[in-house]
Amino acid sequence: MKLLLSTGNIMGGGSSIRPSTSQKTNAELISSLRANFEHSAKDQANGHVNGATNGDAAPKTTAYKSWTSQDSKDDFQIPTLSFTHSALEEPRPQYDITAKLFFLPSCSTSARPAATRKALSLVLEELHMPSIDLLILSFPGVYFDEQEDCPDKIATRGAVEAQPEAIEQQIEAWKTLEELKDEGLVEKLGIAEFGADRLDQFLEGTKIKPAVDQINLRDCCSVPKALLALAKSRGVELLVHNDCSNILPRGTLRELLGPQGAGVLAEPSKAGDKRKSLHGEDVKNDTQSEGLKGEVTPQWVVKYTAVVRNRGVVENKGYFACAELAA
């Protein structure tokens, strides 16, 4: 079973001037998911669906089944998705819409084409738009290497959750983005964290070249000269970002959805409980019996932003995330 998580529009009460990038993306994602889960549970408890709440506080326990749902494709929505109303007020030409898709270490290469199309489909449905301007792809284990100019900054990278995969696998995943562009669903394509060597190989192996390379300098002093020269010669725009590559760790997701969080997942079974069950003994654990059971592994996350072109105002920003739940 696939779990589909969503934040809704995290801009809150309305539009905002482009926000500061000081908050890490993973912290923003987790806090926004938690807030949307609590909001949805509270709405349901107060007799509202996708509407404003009027209670002072949500009940301590609200059955997750009342604000989640499973669709016909075996996708379990947390919370229940509703695309009834358009999330944007202006016509399509008034917006600059960007989406960034993070493939996580557990997402197999064979699952990437379907994941890419699913992620973009959710964004388009949420925004009620026929296309987006830019789709950026982020691969697990790929970090922009600024060691040439700022060796001290490598230490700020944090734990490496996966080793970089072969460039051939990344080129294969890129083919789906090329199809989406050919279909008119995306105007421009981009990649993230590619240094000069990797970008050069990637450009040689792709039909539609990336228009953007997002790099995280982590307050580094400058971009390596080799990358600057290559990007300029091949027409690739270099953009700086502050996103975390390991945006949704497995342990964090289980904590978010578990008994102490949203209450969607049951507590993992303990060895002693399994032995008692085998011998016909009752295992009294109400929380475990109510929640979904199984191992949860994050697959991908997509972040989307819609900016009003002539005002530089962020009207809508949010995330969708997908995880696999296996018994």
Side-chain angles (χ1 to χ4, degrees):
M1 178 190 296
K2 285 184 170 56
L3 308 181
L4 285 179
L5 290 65
S6 59
T7 64
N9 184 5
I10 68 174
M11 300 313 296
S15 304
S16 173
I17 301 298
R18 290 178 186 264
S20 167
T21 58
S22 58
Q23 184 179 26
K24 292 293 185 181
T25 309
N26 57 348
E28 180 180 72
L29 170 63
I30 298 304
S31 63
S32 299
L33 285 172
R34 182 179 291 111
N36 198 33
F37 297 165
E38 293 174 353
H39 176 84
S40 299
K42 184 178 179 181
D43 269 1
Q44 186 62 38
N46 289 334
H48 301 286
V49 178
N50 296 322
T53 60
N54 56 17
D56 293 331
K60 290 184 178 180
T61 57
T62 302
Y64 74 89
K65 291 183 180 179
S66 67
W67 54 274
T68 61
S69 62
Q70 186 170 346
D71 65 19
S72 59
K73 297 180 180 179
D74 203 33
D75 292 337
F76 195 88
Q77 301 172 358
I78 312 172
T80 298
L81 293 173
S82 175
F83 301 123
T84 304
H85 304 290
S86 175
L88 299 178
E89 300 177 358
E90 306 292 336
R92 174 67 184 90
Q94 300 300 317
Y95 294 102
D96 185 3
I97 304 175
T98 298
K100 184 173 182 178
L101 176 58
F102 301 81
F103 284 139
L104 303 179
S106 298
C107 185
S108 66
T109 55
S110 61
R112 286 176 174 176
T116 303
R117 288 188 173 274
K118 180 65 175 181
L120 180 59
S121 173
L122 288 169
V123 172
L124 295 178
E125 287 187 88
E126 171 68 18
L127 301 179
H128 283 233
M129 289 292 165
S131 64
I132 66 173
D133 295 279
L134 174 62
L135 176 58
I136 298 172
L137 196 53
S138 176
F139 294 98
V142 177
Y143 298 90
F144 172 65
D145 187 359
E146 75 278 25
Q147 189 169 7
E148 174 186 336
D149 292 312
C150 297
D152 292 340
K153 292 299 179 180
I154 291 294
T156 68
R157 175 178 294 169
V160 176
E161 80 281 0
Q163 294 300 316
E165 61 198 42
I167 192 71
E168 290 78 13
Q169 291 178 292
Q170 295 171 342
I171 292 173
E172 187 64 27
W174 185 259
K175 292 179 180 178
T176 305
L177 276 74
E178 293 178 328
E179 293 172 0
L180 295 173
K181 179 171 171 54
D182 287 340
E183 293 166 17
L185 298 177
V186 181
E187 177 64 27
K188 295 189 299 182
L189 308 177
I191 38 82
E193 303 299 319
F194 277 30
D197 291 342
R198 185 175 293 272
L199 179 60
D200 190 31
Q201 296 178 61
F202 194 78
L203 289 168
E204 293 302 320
T206 53
K207 181 182 69 173
I208 299 177
K209 313 305 179 187
V212 167
D213 183 7
Q214 267 196 339
I215 55 176
N216 190 336
L217 294 176
R218 288 179 290 276
D219 299 323
C220 187
C221 45
S222 63
V223 179
K225 296 178 181 178
L227 179 58
L228 276 173
L230 176 63
K232 184 177 181 179
S233 66
R234 303 298 294 272
V236 178
E237 184 180 6
L238 298 178
L239 300 178
V240 176
H241 71 92
N242 196 41
D243 297 329
C244 296
S245 57
N246 191 14
I247 190 171
L248 188 59
R250 180 184 302 191
T252 302
L253 178 59
R254 174 161 282 283
E255 181 181 352
L256 180 67
L257 296 178
Q260 303 305 315
V264 175
L265 296 181
E267 194 73 38
S269 298
K270 299 179 181 178
D273 292 340
K274 291 181 180 179
R275 286 195 296 269
K276 291 179 182 179
S277 178
L278 289 173
H279 288 83
E281 300 178 38
D282 291 334
V283 179
K284 296 182 179 180
N285 189 332
D286 293 337
T287 300
Q288 184 171 341
S289 64
E290 292 176 0
L292 299 174
K293 299 184 177 76
E295 289 297 318
V296 61
T297 52
Q299 301 295 305
W300 52 264
V301 173
V302 63
K303 177 178 75 170
Y304 58 91
T305 308
V307 179
V308 182
R309 293 183 189 272
N310 61 353
R311 289 184 285 151
V313 171
V314 180
E315 188 171 314
N316 195 294
K317 178 182 179 182
Y319 297 83
F320 289 101
C322 178
E324 189 76 31
L325 183 67

